[in-house]
Amino acid sequence: FLLAGHPVSGLDQSEDAIAAARERAARLAPALPPENFRVGEVDALPFPRDAFDLVVSIALLHFARDEAHFRRMTDALWGALAPGGLLVARVASTIGIESLVEPVLGRTCRLPDKTTRFLVDLDFLLAETARLGATLADPIKTTNVQNLRAMTTWTLWKPPAG
């Protein structure tokens, strides 16, 4: 996206990750303001509403503390997405490894890879799709990573304005 000249922005909790993103952007797209890359929390996005045509969230939502936190994060991502835009999220799930996860509390589970994550399933993602007023842009797809974890891709269209 940087090489193609798109106005890329980024957010991470880590100052080091943001410094690295700014450095890469300075090399690949020198006209892009470094302020486009910010340290922050996704449930308090420092970007305006309807700011982006594409929002990509990779390996973020499974760090939710509970369903309310998951919804605050998805609501923030959805709010930053312009009408007619696309949200692409990759999140840990139970899909295909249901019998291998150990429940901890609510949707938080211990995975066979020994990590603990907030895990979604198909019904939860479909319910969240409806709650957001979204349309699936692509069927929900899951990759089983050697029965250690499952990573699901959830891709949503935001309805156009009007």
Side-chain angles (χ1 to χ4, degrees):
F1 291 114
L2 289 170
L3 290 173
H6 295 286
V8 175
S9 295
L11 179 83
D12 200 289
Q13 294 177 347
S14 165
E15 290 182 21
D16 291 341
I18 292 302
R22 286 177 176 164
E23 181 181 312
R24 177 170 280 198
R27 281 193 324 269
L28 300 176
L32 194 67
E35 299 78 34
N36 280 23
F37 300 92
R38 303 179 192 179
V39 176
E41 300 288 331
V42 72
D43 55 348
L45 280 178
F47 300 110
R49 276 191 76 71
D50 302 337
F52 303 106
D53 294 321
L54 172 65
V55 172
V56 178
S57 168
I58 303 296
L60 167 72
L61 295 172
H62 54 252
F63 292 109
R65 294 182 293 276
D66 53 32
E67 287 187 27
H69 188 221
F70 180 93
R71 288 187 179 107
R72 283 194 307 276
M73 290 192 297
T74 55
D75 287 349
L77 295 170
W78 194 247
L81 186 64
L86 182 69
L87 170 66
V88 178
R90 186 114 161 117
V91 62
S93 76
T94 61
I95 299 170
I97 61 167
E98 294 87 349
S99 66
L100 302 176
V101 300
E102 177 187 337
V104 174
L105 179 64
R107 292 192 159 278
T108 301
C109 299
R110 186 169 172 87
L111 289 160
D113 69 3
K114 307 298 183 218
T115 61
T116 301
R117 303 276 185 252
F118 179 92
L119 302 180
V120 299
D121 58 30
L122 181 62
D123 290 341
F124 182 80
L125 290 177
L126 292 174
E128 285 299 293
T129 300
R131 182 184 72 79
L132 292 168
T135 302
L136 288 176
D138 202 33
I140 293 171
K141 296 180 175 82
T142 300
T143 300
N144 180 320
V145 184
Q146 294 184 333
N147 285 331
L148 295 173
R149 65 186 171 281
M151 295 301 295
T152 295
T153 304
W154 184 39
T155 311
L156 305 175
W157 285 117
K158 189 171 193 176

